[in-house]
Amino acid sequence: MTILTSPSQEILLLEPVFHQKIWGGRTMAHTFGYDLPQGKIGECWAIAGHEHGTSVVRSGAYKGRTVRELWNNERELFGFLPGDTFPLLVKILDARDDLSVQVHPDDAYARLHENGSLGKRECWYVLDADPGTKITVGQKAKSASEFRERVERGEWDELLGQVDIHPGDFFAIEPGCVHAIQGGTLVLETQQSSDVTYRVYDYDRTDDEGNTRELHLEQALDVIDYKMEAPTSGEITAPEVDGITKLMSCPNFDVIRVRSTGDKSVTLDQDHPFVCCSVISGAGQVTTDFETAAVTAGDHLLVSAQANKVTFGGDMELICSWPPRA
């Protein structure tokens, strides 16, 4: 339930969009109580304004309007941030099977080769992982020709890096980094608002009609960063200060973890174009200058530029992110 005491709408609670994936499952139904559509649901686009999926405001003055529509027509909510596209995309990924081995382009490559799209820098906060689960991250070839030769010989085990993962781990996945989430993993992903993925390997899987998914080896060879040092651990080493842990700061977004308790709330100055907030455990309240929203695990919201500060109360944990100012 949301209590609105001002028409300014500083808090936009959102309804997510769900996407079927060959590797997906049904975990989000019992973890977060989502009313999932039928099938293997791999992705929850929780905070999205992309042409392939956009969240819908579920209450208040903007009820029923999409983030994409608000970005195009109510830019004051986003601090008049310039750009043709709402810049961030927050997802939950339910990997019941392995995702394809893939790589993403940077802005320059995507702009040139993908009809002006943004590139795809992303990061993962691991919500849950089966014991012994790993992720694929990084590769060992020193050049495009070596990578191609190893692919043609099927040397996947020798070519790809593997890292153990655990609940609470965090991984920054830069453009050019070869990666794949493996089965048995639930991840909250913060990324640029891009749907560009170059698949390198998909385990020769077929869909219900017996078709294999398209691969993009030539594009992948172009964008892989052959000098990149891949992460070797997802352990968070940054300190928690007043309930806030800074997870990542990059040219496209900042990401923090917020932990509030019944005894101690957490206040964040809202000096950003907007703030994306995803409640990943517990329940509590989100309060701005004129509004309070009761939230629970699985809720997602935007705090608009109209707020001066945002306070998180109750026993809960959130992942929050925002883009830089222009």
Side-chain angles (χ1 to χ4, degrees):
M1 177 180 178
T2 305
I3 303 171
L4 299 177
T5 57
S6 166
S8 64
Q9 190 103 35
E10 296 171 338
I11 299 172
L12 304 175
L13 280 163
L14 302 175
E15 291 288 350
V17 179
F18 299 100
H19 292 271
Q20 289 196 29
K21 297 292 179 180
I22 194 170
W23 42 263
R26 308 291 298 175
T27 302
M28 288 183 277
H30 58 77
T31 299
F32 297 118
Y34 293 150
D35 183 15
L36 299 179
Q38 294 297 312
K40 297 179 178 180
I41 305 304
E43 296 189 354
C44 163
W45 287 28
I47 304 175
H50 195 275
E51 62 180 337
H52 295 163
T54 179
S55 313
V56 177
V57 180
R58 74 186 202 204
S59 60
Y62 300 110
K63 182 179 180 179
R65 297 179 68 179
T66 68
V67 170
R68 183 175 172 83
E69 179 189 357
L70 293 176
W71 176 261
N72 290 332
N73 298 292
E74 310 286 351
R75 194 64 67 91
E76 69 277 5
L77 295 172
F78 310 99
F80 296 100
L81 193 69
D84 297 332
T85 305
F86 180 77
L88 300 186
L89 175 53
V90 177
K91 300 178 180 177
I92 298 176
L93 308 181
D94 175 18
R96 292 305 91 196
D97 199 356
D98 296 348
L99 275 68
S100 61
V101 178
Q102 56 192 244
V103 65
H104 305 308
D106 62 15
D107 286 338
Y109 190 93
R111 188 180 304 114
L112 182 62
H113 297 279
E114 299 293 342
N115 299 315
S117 171
L118 295 175
K120 194 174 179 184
R121 176 180 274 115
E122 64 188 29
C123 58
W124 305 332
Y125 186 86
V126 181
L127 302 174
D128 199 9
D130 293 345
T133 302
K134 298 178 181 291
I135 62 165
T136 296
V137 61
Q139 60 80 38
K140 298 167 186 168
K142 303 301 182 184
S143 66
S145 59
E146 181 186 350
F147 191 95
R148 185 192 296 275
E149 290 170 1
R150 289 190 171 204
V151 167
E152 290 174 350
R153 292 197 295 265
E155 296 177 354
W156 297 109
D157 290 342
E158 297 82 5
L159 176 61
L160 302 176
Q162 301 279 321
V163 178
D164 293 328
I165 65 167
H166 315 87
D169 280 355
F170 180 82
F171 294 89
I173 305 297
E174 295 289 328
C177 179
V178 177
H179 62 277
I181 296 172
Q182 296 186 6
T185 310
L186 189 69
V187 167
L188 186 136
E189 178 176 278
T190 304
Q191 61 162 91
Q192 291 178 266
S193 186
S194 171
D195 204 21
V196 179
T197 292
Y198 298 145
R199 296 189 196 97
V200 179
Y201 181 53
D202 197 41
Y203 320 101
D204 301 318
R205 287 184 293 203
T206 58
D207 60 21
D208 293 340
E209 285 74 44
N211 301 310
T212 58
R213 293 200 294 173
E214 182 181 6
L215 301 179
H216 314 93
L217 180 60
E218 298 307 317
Q219 296 97 319
L221 291 172
D222 281 347
V223 304
I224 292 171
D225 185 342
Y226 298 97
K227 297 180 180 179
M228 178 180 291
E229 292 187 12
T232 57
S233 170
E235 181 182 1
I236 297 172
T237 58
E240 182 175 305
V241 180
D242 296 329
I244 294 175
T245 304
K246 295 180 179 180
L247 300 177
M248 183 175 182
S249 182
C250 69
N252 304 111
F253 48 75
D254 284 58
V255 184
I256 63 173
R257 181 180 61 198
V258 175
R259 288 173 169 167
S260 65
T261 66
D263 298 328
K264 188 175 183 181
S265 61
V266 177
T267 297
L268 181 69
D269 288 336
Q270 201 335 43
D271 54 358
H272 314 291
F274 59 87
V275 179
C276 301
C277 302
S278 296
V279 185
I280 58 174
S281 66
Q285 305 83 37
V286 179
T287 302
T288 58
D289 305 78
F290 298 106
E291 292 182 44
T292 295
V295 294
T296 190
D299 281 341
H300 307 272
L301 57 101
L302 283 169
V303 179
S304 77
Q306 296 176 344
N308 293 311
K309 63 180 180 179
V310 55
T311 298
F312 306 96
D315 291 300
M316 62 178 180
E317 185 173 358
L318 307 93
I319 300 297
C320 300
S321 58
W322 55 83
R325 290 199 175 274

